[in-house]
């Protein structure tokens, strides 16, 4: 019998990569998706398009982390061996505008899922997507599993709550529950409102003459940027351990938004200074200036380490967005013809 895994947030960047990863390992994968009037499964198209991708072992269920009874029914019905909680209102800037909604989904949603596990009496292994935003106003450099949290956004606060609830259920009920404290991780599947993808998408459009300006906020913010496709493997490795634990997943390098701009525009033969303008609307009320994670525990205990370097990540995202735009424009021409 194939192992069953349930992924909340399966339609997101991490969820889609994790689904592909687990299907390649022979899992039966169940995903939670929100009902919407438009299709929101675009990132899963690669699975359905590939005859060898195991799409017959992929099942999508309508639901939402705001609905506790639906969570309990779903967990009871599927009886998964592994649960990956990746769903969240995950945009930091948006969390300042919608703090209550962010906390309901990102914080209380985790409790609803943990309670669903407890009430059904099953014993799955549970992964909680924690975030480097929990460190916020950093108390030490680099950040480790022992660094105190100091969140600087409603999103960061909600993630701190979920982190400690996961620890609490582990210690109170013996649940095999682990937190992955993932630092920024990007890919061509990153949402278009996140700064790296916003940059690489703009590069493609400026290169094609479809856009002139790109408006950004704080260019001096420094982040630890890795490749999302590699980070989902760390999630899986955590749940294969005999004992649950909490791990920082990062690259132990930090780079500014300005550096990402230089690499991305430069790769396309463009000068970013001619196209980028600062818009105060994109500044956060409280900024997180410097994030850099020490992943030595994950390397030692999980055998995991990042492989894709910062410059390579920027280049592969630019290439992907240029190719995506090319295919889109060719499709438009064919439709018009």
């Amino acid at each position: 019998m194939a192992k069953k895994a349930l992924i909340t947030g399966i339609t997101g960047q991490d969820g889609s990569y994790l689904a592909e990863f687990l299907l390649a390992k022979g899992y039966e994968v169940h995903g939670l998706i929100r009902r919407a009037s438009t299709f929101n499964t675009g990132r899963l198209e690669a699975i359905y398009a590939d005859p060898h991708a195991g799409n017959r072992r992929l099942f999508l269920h309508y639901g939402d982390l705001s609905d506790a009874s639906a969570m309990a029914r779903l967990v009871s019905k599927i009886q998964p061996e592994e649960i990956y909680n990746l769903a969240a209102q995950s945009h930091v800037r948006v969390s300042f505008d919608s703090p209550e909604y962010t906390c309901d989904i990102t914080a209380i949603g985790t409790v609803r899922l943990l309670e669903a596990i407890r009430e059904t009496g099953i014993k799955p292994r549970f992964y909680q997507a924690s975030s480097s935003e929990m460190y916020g106003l950093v108390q030490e450099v680099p950040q480790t599993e022992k660094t105190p949290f100091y969140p600087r956004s409603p999103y960061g606060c909600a993630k701190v709550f979920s982190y400690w609830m996961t620890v609490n259920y582990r210690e109170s009920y013996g649940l095999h529950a682990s937190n992955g404290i993932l630092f920024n991780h990007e890919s061509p599947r990153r949402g278009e409102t996140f700064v790296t993808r916003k940059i690489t998408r703009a590069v493609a459009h400026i290169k094609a003459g479809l856009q002139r300006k790109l408006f950004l906020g704080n260019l001096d913010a420094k982040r630890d940027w890795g490749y999302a496709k590699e980070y989902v493997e760390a999630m899986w490795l955590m749940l294969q351990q005999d004992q649950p634990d909490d791990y920082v997943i990062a690259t132990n390098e930090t780079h500014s938004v300005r550096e990402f701009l230089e690499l991305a525009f430069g790769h396309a033969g463009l000068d970013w200074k001619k196209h980028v303008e600062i818009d105060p609307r994109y500044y956060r009320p409280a900024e997180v200036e410097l994030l850099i994670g020490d992943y030595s525990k994950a390397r030692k205990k999980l055998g995991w380490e990042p492989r894709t370097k910062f410059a390579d990540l920027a280049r592969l995202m630019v290439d992907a967005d240029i190719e995506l735009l090319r295919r889109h424009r060719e499709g438009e021409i064919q439709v018009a013809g």
Side-chain angles (χ1 to χ4, degrees), residues 64-74 111-113 115-116 119:
D64 196 299
L65 286 182
S66 64
D67 189 340
S69 59
M71 287 297 97
R73 284 195 302 272
L74 190 61
V111 180
R112 295 185 184 111
L113 189 51
E115 273 295 282
E119 288 177 6

Side-chain angles (χ1 to χ4, degrees), residues 53 70 75 88 90 95 98 118 138 147 153 157 164 166 256 311 334 337:
V75 169
S90 60
S95 78
S98 302
R118 190 174 72 86
V138 297
T147 303
S153 67
C157 293
W164 284 116
T166 299
S256 67
Q334 288 171 4

Side-chain angles (χ1 to χ4, degrees), residues 149-171:
F149 299 137
Y150 196 137
R152 298 267 282 173
S153 67
Y155 170 76
C157 293
K159 281 295 187 181
V160 169
F161 178 91
S162 288
Y163 172 94
W164 284 116
M165 288 303 287
T166 299
V167 172
N168 186 258
Y169 273 68
R170 178 169 77 209
E171 295 177 351

Side-chain angles (χ1 to χ4, degrees), residues 7 98 172 252 257 267 275 281 322:
I7 304 172
S98 302
S172 300
N252 202 27
V257 174
H267 183 56
H275 302 283
R281 289 178 300 173
I322 288 173

